[in-house]
Amino acid sequence: MQKKRVVFSYPPHLVDQPVISTLVKDFELMVNILRARITPNEEGRLVLEITGKRSGLEAGFKYLSEIGVEIQPLAQDVKWHEDRCTHCTACISICPTKALDVNRPPMEVFFKRDKCIACELCIPVCPYQAMEILF
Ligand code: SF4
Ligand code: SF4
């Protein structure tokens, strides 16, 4: 089994289509919706965690591409601006997945993209706008 965190961008004509249920039913994938922004007649954006067999993931992503869903890894939409980070650690206790964590010593904060679920909890607590989520 493999797990992928991805961002789907839907064109307007797909917003009311059963795309997610097709992934579950036809490709035997488990889909966990982490974030969603869909409005009728406009583009939709979903952040998803998808789990399944490699063959199911490949076939499911092929189906999505064919119907016009744009897929990109979640990591591309979450940015840690290391140059702005002062390693104050204000975000560490708030991050639910330990995507932001600290090496102690020397008390250096680090960001692990593959653990981030784009929950945005770190955004308001960071005094230096070091975290950015591009949705
Ligand atoms: S968006 Fe959520 S999971 Fe990602 S680093 Fe911030 S608090 Fe952690
Ligand atoms: S709150 Fe911002 S500045 Fe402080 S450690 Fe976290 S990312 Fe760095």
Side-chain angles (χ1 to χ4, degrees):
M1 296 290 260
Q2 292 192 346
K3 187 181 284 189
K4 292 198 181 295
R5 288 188 180 141
V6 291
V7 180
F8 287 180
S9 299
Y10 287 55
H13 72 277
L14 288 177
V15 163
D16 58 355
Q17 298 299 306
V19 174
I20 300 302
S21 61
T22 301
L23 287 181
V24 174
K25 192 161 51 74
D26 293 0
F27 301 100
E28 298 182 352
L29 300 174
M30 286 181 282
V31 180
N32 184 15
I33 299 175
L34 303 174
R35 292 188 62 200
R37 196 186 68 207
I38 300 177
T39 44
N41 304 318
E42 290 179 26
E43 188 184 84
R45 297 267 282 171
L46 291 179
V47 180
L48 304 159
E49 188 173 73
I50 304 180
T51 309
K53 289 184 187 160
R54 184 183 174 140
S55 57
L57 284 164
E58 286 174 1
F61 286 178
K62 184 167 181 285
Y63 152 75
L64 291 165
S65 296
E66 285 170 357
I67 63 170
V69 176
E70 190 184 308
I71 309 162
Q72 64 184 54
L74 173 60
Q76 288 185 11
D77 278 11
V78 180
K79 292 204 184 314
W80 176 49
H81 297 284
E82 193 171 354
D83 55 325
R84 295 183 201 162
C85 178
T86 61
H87 303 269
C88 70
T89 72
C91 57
I92 302 305
S93 60
I94 206 112
C95 178
T97 62
K98 295 212 172 290
L100 284 162
D101 207 349
V102 62
N103 282 323
R104 46 184 119 206
M107 298 303 285
E108 276 183 6
V109 170
F110 61 91
F111 176 54
K112 286 205 160 176
R113 287 175 192 286
D114 58 330
K115 289 189 172 183
C116 179
I117 56 170
C119 67
E120 292 193 1
L121 290 174
C122 56
I123 303 290
V125 302
C126 178
Y128 305 101
Q129 289 79 49
M131 292 303 294
E132 186 180 12
I133 298 191
L134 310 168
F135 293 118

